[in-house]
Amino acid sequence: MMLRQLLRQAASNVAEPAPSRRTFLKGTGGALIISATVPLGSFAAEAAGPAIIGPADPRPNVFVRVAKDNSVTVLVKHLDKGQGIMTGLTTIVAEELDADWSQMRGEHAPADSKLYGNHFFGIQGTGGSTAVANSWDELRMAGAAARLMLVNAAAAEWKVPADQISVSRGVVSHKPSGKSATFGQLAEAASKQPIPTKVTLKNPDQYSLIGNETLHRLDHVSKTNGTAIFAMDVRRPNQVTAVLARSPRFGGTVKSVDDQAARAIPGVIDVLTLPVGVAVVAKNTWAAIKGREALSIQWDDTNAEKRGTDQMLAAYRAQAKKPGTSAARKGDTATAFKSATKVIEAEYSFPYLAHAPMEPLNATLEIKDDGGAEIWAGSQFQGIEQPVVAGILGTTPDKVKINTLWAGGSFGRRATTNADYIAETALIAKALAAKGMKVPVHLVWTREDDIQGGCYRPLVVHRVKGGLDKSGNLIAWEQSIVTQSFMAGTPFEPAVVKNGVDATAVEGAADMAYSVPNMAVDYHQMASPVTTLWWRSVGHTHTAYAKEAFIEELAVAAGKDGVAFRLALLGDKHPRLSGVLKLAAEKAEWSKPLAPAPDGSKRARGVAVHESFQSFVAHVAEVTVAKDGKIKVDRVIVAVDCGQAVNPDVIKAQIEGGTGFGIGHALRDQITLTDGLVDQNNFDGYEPMRLSDMPEVEVHIVRSSARPTGVGEPGVPTAAPAVANAVFRATGQKLHDLPFSKAGIV
């Protein structure tokens, strides 16, 4: 079962699932307001043609608003954290509506899992590269329904047949009579039209906005001139700022606090000892930080992680040599290895990694007189955050209003299974309210809090063994994966951890596309107080690397070309994977040797291909390795098949960003521990991708009319292994331990 389906099952333990198919309409102030949603699990809907819309829902929550001023606003139920969701989902509506792009607007929808639930999760939330795939049907139907109601309103007003009316670029026209009107002029009349029960969707060859490379992003002006509002910008009347002192060791708790010096800092209002740490509340951020620095806290490390990274890796490596829990089995590997002509083994290690979004975690929460709350945040999992905050405050989720704002990055960090930073904000606000101070609380994480705050991509060790026959064919594969589970102990565990195997840890390995007659994949779940979480492309961050780097070693051992070796393993069962691999190789001129470097440096190409989140991506990296071992990634060619390309320019941006993200972290990033203490604390020790590191990236999108899938994450998994394979081809050096700096090549 796919991960997103598992998440949907698990989410039912937290909140009610999204509703079944319906449409609803409401007239408000002369505006046409409409929504259409589709059944859970019904995502094999028509590519075009008739679409049935169900009974009306009277609630005023909507997807599309057509206003008198002729603007069309799409309420977007997913968090836009820079990936272009607001533009992409608005494009889908605009296409079926036949609107002009200049009249389109986007707005984050209210928090309401019943109306705005992610159909793959069952709650409102953003992740797993699901936004476009999840909203494709309902937004096309919403746009088509709004268009039909505008047409019917015009037909009634002009007393002409509706089938004689056309719509183009936001104008409704009747050519025989010469009459025309804008959407805004028809909005009030359209809002009184009967709700459609059936709409006709466009065929792909009728698209003018979907697939258009010239559309500007809806957020390009506001994010350029500074008018876009992020959570960090929120200022409420009487707002206070809080920072939290958390245990420097994961699993530690507060033993005692001396807050006298902190309270003496000008601007500090209060100091609160809470289950999550010690909060300093102040008039502003600077005073809160200085107050926290003045605290004297003794921590109880009885149950804390006190090991260093080397000790943890040693334990992982020892575990990898033992039999684990079966994640996949096919054939008889023991017998196959006995008959193999060549047997290759390798071990790969992957460090803890921080998400490090440019905007650190922060949220503002205000307790209301009815016991509920209002929140302003870059909210990624509203369906988790509402019930968690309600539980803390002793109220019901419907009384927790979340204002979702633009977020400055996330990469998975804002989508927590326990609503961590928003829960912290609620705890602080509740404690202040108990003291008679019911004020808006803005909790701010500093960069140091973020880098040292956990929820990391887990530490992982892979042990892989492959067997080749005398013709160089891969006949046996064994793989052991050792890592933590960030699903264990959460509401998601019953659905995601099956028979002792965490699906997020083995995805991309247990379901490997390469055809190997004898295969065994084992999983070992390790425990540590260090908190872990999904990180951009989740398990594929390490499974794709181990798979593709090891496949390259097998290809070399077999004396075969890397592209040809992969294509043979894919056969005819995975045409879309083979398609992107062939396209990337073609555009990279794979068969032509690279020009030699003038200074004697070594140059080579490397390739990697992988499916994740139902999208297919291949990277070809061109790398120069200098005589001193330093590498320069000169150029990267990427082919992506993500179904129907809604916004090609946004897709290219996401693949370019994913490529930089994957390579940047592989070069030198790692979170390490010494005696349980995190060694890195800011961007000097945990370096983001530098402009000087960023290669030229050339993206090629496969033309397709298949349902759109995701691109936020699939550009990451194959970037690093393509570079590693290029280094291997150039020098013979095998980059088994990430980051690459461990091998002294950066």
Side-chain angles (χ1 to χ4, degrees), residues 70 97-103 167-172 183 208:
N70 204 38
L97 190 56
D98 281 316
D100 187 79
W101 188 242
S102 65
Q103 69 187 124
V167 184
S168 178
R169 300 193 66 175
V171 178
V172 182
F183 289 175
S208 61

Side-chain angles (χ1 to χ4, degrees), residues 622-637:
E622 297 178 356
V623 172
T624 299
V625 183
K627 293 178 180 179
D628 61 0
K630 292 183 179 179
I631 70 167
K632 174 67 176 175
V633 184
D634 303 309
R635 178 172 173 247
V636 178
I637 299 88

Side-chain angles (χ1 to χ4, degrees), residues 359-371:
E359 180 195 18
L361 302 177
N362 73 106
T364 299
L365 186 145
E366 184 175 333
I367 296 178
K368 298 298 184 179
D369 291 339
D370 66 356

Side-chain angles (χ1 to χ4, degrees), residues 301-345:
D301 290 334
T302 302
N303 298 313
E305 178 61 83
K306 295 187 268 302
R307 292 176 297 173
T309 302
D310 290 344
Q311 291 173 282
M312 298 178 78
L313 276 173
Y316 278 41
R317 288 188 167 113
Q319 192 67 31
K321 297 175 182 178
K322 303 175 183 177
T325 303
S326 176
R329 284 288 187 276
K330 183 171 63 173
D332 182 349
T333 55
T335 300
F337 276 117
K338 288 179 182 178
S339 66
T341 303
K342 289 184 179 180
V343 176
I344 309 296
E345 295 186 66

Side-chain angles (χ1 to χ4, degrees), residues 373-451:
E374 186 167 4
I375 300 167
W376 293 262
S379 179
Q380 190 169 348
F381 259 22
Q382 297 93 336
I384 297 288
E385 293 151 6
Q386 275 185 311
V388 167
V389 170
I392 291 170
L393 299 182
T395 188
T396 53
D398 61 291
K399 290 187 177 180
V400 178
K401 178 182 179 182
I402 299 178
N403 301 288
T404 300
L405 305 175
W406 296 106
S410 173
F411 314 114
R413 181 59 184 89
R414 301 178 197 274
T416 60
T417 57
N418 61 358
D420 67 334
Y421 70 102
I422 290 180
E424 291 174 349
T425 312
L427 288 167
I428 295 168
K430 180 181 179 180
L432 287 175
K435 291 186 171 187
M437 189 183 297
K438 190 184 290 184
V439 294
V441 175
H442 185 200
L443 175 67
V444 176
W445 283 50
T446 64
R447 183 69 60 202
E448 290 78 8
D449 293 338
D450 180 53
I451 299 299

